[in-house]
């Protein structure tokens, strides 16, 4: 189907086309077109209320990447050799390919089901567009390094955690979009983590490890990759973590007070801005307690420091959110 031909297509329908596209390069390209159409108003409806479309349990994927269990992933090294740099960038490309699917999946799976405001769709459309750009840029960089996507083995632990949270938007936000960006692969050259540990460290965990990654590429003489990570990927991942925190807060507050935080289209400035006083200290404490309970339900063991406090704070994810989870029960 030509993506510009159907003027009545809703965003959820378009998101499903991305999820059902197997080629990751086409997936990123199509996602960029759809995101632009939504942001410019050419797609106006988030979904058609009269049609509830099925969301695939697993997005379409090519079979050119050899998949192995996480425990059997080879060590990637510390970017000191060309092969190590290729392996690390390959792991980043693979992670970004799944990040594209995760962003469109949260739109298609939960947007209508949870009657989310229009701003929710817009935020995750922007995240999806960013992830597609990250994939495309990193895949191009991998080719500049003399390799290609599919040259190294990978694993799909990132989607395993998506399946585990497919029935619960709060859990999906906490697990995937608050604290787990990139650790599925990034952690392989930072520290060895068990699969249960990587499930809960998505967006914010990527913020923890990316500075070390950037330094290793610079020490290895690869300033081009370091610049790409530092100037494009890293700052945008902060905004992705912020989106997860923002919507976790919204859902938590709405469940407590649906009149004050209605299910209709609203502005979330009172939820997200530190300058606003409408969100009380008690509200904030209850939201954070809900976050702790959600993480503990879907995570075995404590979160592992060190934490990038500056980047986490920039995402609205202060130490009160994660430090208690770093302590053993």
């Amino acid at each position: 189907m030509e993506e510009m031909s159907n003027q009545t297509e809703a965003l959820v329908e378009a998101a499903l086309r991305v999820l059902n596209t197997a080629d990751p390069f086409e997936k990123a390209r199509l996602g960029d077109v759809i995101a632009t159409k939504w942001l410019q108003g050419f797609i106006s409806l988030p979904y058609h209320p009269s049609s509830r479309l099925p969301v695939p349990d697993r997005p379409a994927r090519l079979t050119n990447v050899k998949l192995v269990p996480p425990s059997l992933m080879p060590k990637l090294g510390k970017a000191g050799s060309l092969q190590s740099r290729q392996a690390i960038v390959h792991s980043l490309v693979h992670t970004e390919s799944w990040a594209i699917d995760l962003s469109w999946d949260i739109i298609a799976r939960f947007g209508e089901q949870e009657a989310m405001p229009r701003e929710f769709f817009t935020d995750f459309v922007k995240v999806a567009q960013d992830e597609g750009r990250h994939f495309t840029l990193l895949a191009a960089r991998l080719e500049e390094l003399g390799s290609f996507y599919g040259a190294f083995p990978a694993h799909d632990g990132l989607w395993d955690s998506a399946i585990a949270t497919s029935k619960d938007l709060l859990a999906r936000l906490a697990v995937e979009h608050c604290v787990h960006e990139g650790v599925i692969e990034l952690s392989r050259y930072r520290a060895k983590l068990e699969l249960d540990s990587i499930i809960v460290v998505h967006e914010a965990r990527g913020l923890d490890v990316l500075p070390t990654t950037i330094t290793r590429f610079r020490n290895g003489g690869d300033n081009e990759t370091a610049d790409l990570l530092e100037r494009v990927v890293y700052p945008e991942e902060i905004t992705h973590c912020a989106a997860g925190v923002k919507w976790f807060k919204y859902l938590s507050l709405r469940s407590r007070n649906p009149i004050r935080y209605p299910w209709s289209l609203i502005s979330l400035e009172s939820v997200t801005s530190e300058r606003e006083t409408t969100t009380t200290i008690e509200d904030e404490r209850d939201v954070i307690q809900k976050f702790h309970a959600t993480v503990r339900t879907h995570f075995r063991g404590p979160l592992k420091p060190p934490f990038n406090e500056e980047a986490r704070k920039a995402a609205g994810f202060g130490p009160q959110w994660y430090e208690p989870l770093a302590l053993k029960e």
Side-chain angles (χ1 to χ4, degrees), residues 20-53:
N20 289 320
T21 297
D23 185 283
F25 294 91
E26 176 63 14
K27 192 186 292 279
R29 188 201 67 82
L30 178 61
D32 183 65
V33 170
I34 291 168
T36 299
K37 289 176 67 178
W38 172 261
L39 296 172
Q40 293 182 352
F42 293 105
I43 296 177
S44 59
L45 291 175
Y47 51 84
H48 292 294
S50 59
S51 64
R52 180 68 66 88
L53 301 173

Side-chain angles (χ1 to χ4, degrees), residues 101-261:
D101 282 326
L102 280 167
S103 302
W104 290 111
D105 183 84
I106 200 172
I107 290 169
R109 187 175 304 277
F110 295 110
E112 178 183 7
Q113 175 182 302
E114 300 295 335
M116 296 301 287
R118 189 180 189 88
E119 192 174 346
F120 171 88
F121 293 91
T122 296
D123 281 356
F124 282 101
V125 162
K126 291 178 180 177
V127 172
Q129 190 172 41
D130 288 348
E131 306 291 22
R133 182 170 58 257
H134 297 173
F135 170 84
T136 302
L137 291 171
L138 286 164
R141 181 59 189 153
L142 182 60
E143 292 189 1
E144 292 172 354
L145 291 171
S147 188
F148 60 93
Y149 183 40
F152 292 85
H155 70 80
D156 285 350
L158 191 53
W159 195 256
D160 292 340
S161 60
I163 292 173
T165 58
S166 63
K167 306 296 184 184
D168 186 340
L169 179 53
L170 266 180
R172 174 67 65 85
L173 289 166
V175 167
E176 298 286 7
H177 297 281
C178 282
V179 280
H180 185 114
E181 174 66 46
V183 75
I184 292 292
E185 300 294 345
L186 287 170
S187 63
R188 281 289 161 186
Y189 56 89
R190 178 182 176 274
K192 185 177 180 181
L193 297 177
E194 296 178 357
L195 178 59
D196 286 330
S197 296
I198 58 183
I199 286 178
V200 156
V201 239
H202 183 49
E203 296 286 359
R205 202 55 177 162
L207 302 182
D208 297 334
V209 301
L210 268 171
T212 299
T213 304
I214 293 166
T215 298
R216 286 179 173 174
F217 274 103
R218 292 208 188 281
N219 291 342
D222 186 350
N223 288 318
E224 290 84 355
T225 303
D227 287 344
L228 174 57
L229 294 175
E230 187 171 53
R231 298 174 183 176
V232 180
V233 177
Y234 182 57
E236 290 181 348
E237 298 299 354
I238 292 176
T239 69
H240 301 173
C241 183
V245 173
K246 168 183 175 177
W247 290 104
F248 188 93
K249 286 182 179 180
Y250 170 78
L251 276 178
S252 298
L253 292 170
R254 190 179 72 176
S255 67
R256 294 180 66 244
N257 194 335
I259 295 177
R260 187 175 175 195
Y261 301 98

